[in-house]
Amino acid sequence: MSIVNVIPYFLLMALFCGLATLITRVVPFYGKPVPPQRAPGYKPQLEGMRGILALSVFFHHAVVWWFVLTEGQWKLPPSNFYSQMAVIPVTLFFFLTGFLFWSKLLVRPKQEWRSFLYARILRLAPAYLGAMVLFVFSVAALSHGARHESWQSLFLNIGRWTPFAFGGEPDINRLPHTVYLMTVVWSLRWEWLFYIAVPFLGWFAQKSWRSLWLIGGVLALYAGSALVANGSHRIHGAGTAAWFLRHCAYNFSIGIVVACLIERYDWRKAAQSWIASVVTLGILGVVAATIPGSYGYGALESIILGLPFLILACGNDMWGLLRTKPLVFLGQISYSVYMLHCLVLGTVIIGLRQYVPRSPVAYWGAIAILGIAVVLLATLTHRWLEAPFMRVPRTAQPKTTLLFPQRSTRVRSA
């Protein structure tokens, strides 16, 4: 069996769903279908989608680590399917971010930025800092407890990683390619830049044409920044700006468009039909099977994936599958799964590389064990590092007249 055979993906996904079923039956905290801390308007089918997406990224990196182990190279797998298991999930995660936060702006265009960012910090920072602690211990273990750089450099490099790696992704303790242990952090930086912008974009949410102005302006800014970044005169930060604007133009914008379409028209009847479910699966299958994955996260995937995301956001739950307790649970812990899976894969494969099997069948067996470990570890970090802070009261909104009145949530028939 080839390492890029797709059968292990579906077999192990079923295994992890079985484990999730066991956890939801044994652990009282996860026994309820919708946790009480969820806000009104919570969409369980999108939570179930998150669970599948996070585990799909795990499978992608499991195959990537096979090539690190056997060829000494970090590269995209020679398989459209396993390459797209990174591109499709990250693209849909960005869609989801744009959709959720633009939906909030449509209802309440004026967001108090301190309360908003405080809520985001409470939601994301505890689990990230917990992952950082494990990250440092992992580096120490892979360094066999020996210090290979000065204390000053060591703490400086750890400090650069700590604020969601905004300070850079340096090797720690001179461990080569330390970034492979936390390679997913790059996406969190773009998410944070988008969060910082959200409280200041309420004016654009007032009218659909203003939202289109925003998207058009982002496309223009991306085109300009790309020219500067690729030009002969290099400007510090132009490349970073171009990459962020690229994701705004291709990914966050799709979520914004979907939020506007759902607010303006009632698509639920069409989107929740069995035909829409078949179309969604068909499009996802075609993209996974035929479009070569690329770390560029380009416009092609975004345009094609926009329709399936619209269908799911309108309430399609894939014949009830996405609303089941196991998938909703996997969605609840998806942030921890996303943060921790490469750390677990990298630590074990590098630390025990002489024992990691070179046979594809045996390797997938080892990945099954590591996947179980990731789900169990993510369950612990979600329960004790994420959930407690999700219930902490946010700072109250100031009792002042809003700059813009709240929008009506009325919809017009499609």
Side-chain angles (χ1 to χ4, degrees):
M1 181 180 70
S2 169
I3 192 65
V4 294
N5 190 299
V6 301
I7 294 176
Y9 172 89
F10 295 101
L11 291 178
L12 296 189
M13 188 68 81
L15 172 65
F16 300 149
C17 288
L19 176 61
T21 301
L22 179 62
I23 292 172
T24 56
R25 291 181 177 179
V26 172
V27 182
F29 182 81
Y30 295 109
K32 296 180 180 180
V34 178
Q37 68 266 28
R38 295 297 185 186
Y42 168 68
K43 298 178 183 295
Q45 78 278 7
L46 295 183
E47 195 79 280
M49 181 189 76
R50 285 183 202 262
I52 294 175
L53 297 181
L55 285 174
S56 294
V57 179
F58 165 79
F59 285 108
H60 165 82
H61 284 126
V63 176
V64 169
W65 274 106
W66 164 267
F67 290 102
V68 173
L69 180 70
T70 58
E71 300 180 10
Q73 289 184 309
W74 181 278
K75 64 179 184 179
L76 280 168
S79 159
N80 287 345
F81 180 83
Y82 282 108
S83 294
Q84 285 291 351
M85 287 306 98
V87 178
I88 291 175
V90 173
T91 299
L92 291 177
F93 279 140
F94 286 151
F95 284 5
L96 191 55
T97 295
F99 168 74
L100 293 176
F101 289 99
W102 203 256
S103 296
K104 291 184 178 181
L105 287 181
L106 289 172
V107 175
R108 189 184 181 91
K110 178 62 175 178
Q111 296 284 332
E112 207 282 317
W113 67 272
R114 286 170 294 186
S115 297
F116 178 83
L117 294 180
Y118 174 63
R120 289 290 83 207
I121 291 172
L122 285 179
R123 177 64 186 92
L124 300 178
Y128 179 80
L129 293 177
M132 277 297 303
V133 171
L134 295 177
F135 178 44
V136 172
F137 277 109
S138 177
V139 171
L142 295 175
S143 302
H144 307 289
R147 180 167 56 86
H148 299 298
E149 60 183 352
S150 68
W151 286 111
Q152 181 181 359
S153 296
L154 184 63
F155 286 117
L156 176 62
N157 289 332
I158 293 173
R160 291 174 64 186
W161 274 94
T162 301
F164 295 92
F166 272 101
E169 300 172 346
D171 289 340
I172 296 178
N173 201 32
R174 297 183 181 175
L175 181 71
H177 308 299
T178 306
V179 66
Y180 292 169
L181 300 176
M182 291 280 281
T183 188
V184 298
V185 176
W186 69 268
S187 64
L188 296 181
R189 287 200 298 273
W190 305 142
E191 293 261 355
W192 267 107
L193 290 174
F194 182 76
Y195 297 151
I196 291 170
V198 165
F200 305 100
L201 299 178
W203 183 84
F204 292 100
Q206 285 294 293
K207 301 287 183 180
S208 298
W209 57 267
R210 291 181 184 175
S211 299
L212 293 178
W213 271 16
L214 175 65
I215 294 171
V218 168
L219 285 167
L221 287 172
Y222 165 61
S225 64
L227 288 175
V228 173
N230 297 324
S232 56
H233 301 288
R234 300 186 66 84
I235 299 178
H236 181 71
T240 300
W243 270 104
F244 172 62
L245 291 169
R246 180 189 185 96
H247 287 295
C248 287
Y250 293 164
N251 298 322
F252 295 123
S253 292
I254 299 294
I256 290 173
V257 169
V258 169
C260 290
L261 288 173
I262 291 178
E263 190 266 350
R264 191 173 181 82
Y265 302 106
D266 189 353
W267 305 83
R268 288 172 296 178
K269 184 176 181 180
Q272 295 176 19
S273 67
W274 68 268
I275 297 176
S277 299
V278 171
V279 168
T280 298
L281 284 178
I283 292 176
L284 292 174
V286 168
V287 172
T290 63
I291 298 180
S294 168
Y295 286 137
Y297 298 86
L300 181 59
E301 288 97 338
S302 296
I303 293 172
I304 296 175
L305 293 174
L307 179 58
F309 181 75
L310 173 63
I311 291 171
L312 294 172
C314 284
N316 188 294
D317 56 11
M318 303 307 294
W319 300 286
L321 180 65
L322 295 180
R323 291 176 178 266
T324 58
K325 277 188 181 181
L327 283 182
V328 170
F329 161 73
L330 289 172
Q332 289 176 250
I333 68 169
S334 60
Y335 176 52
S336 286
V337 168
Y338 189 70
M339 287 301 310
L340 296 170
H341 74 273
C342 257
L343 190 56
V344 172
L345 286 170
T347 302
V348 173
I349 291 175
I350 294 174
L352 303 175
R353 56 186 174 276
Q354 65 269 33
Y355 304 109
V356 178
R358 266 58 172 182
S359 161
V361 174
Y363 179 78
W364 277 117
I367 292 303
I369 297 172
L370 293 180
I372 291 172
V374 168
V375 171
L376 293 177
L377 182 58
T379 301
L380 291 175
T381 57
H382 175 268
R383 175 64 184 90
W384 300 110
L385 293 180
E386 293 186 64
F389 292 94
M390 292 165 66
R391 294 196 298 270
V392 172
R394 274 52 167 169
T395 302
Q397 295 286 349
K399 297 180 179 180
T400 56
T401 303
L402 295 178
L403 179 61
F404 301 114
Q406 293 187 8
R407 286 200 68 168
S408 168
T409 56
R410 293 175 300 169
V411 295
R412 291 200 290 266
S413 177

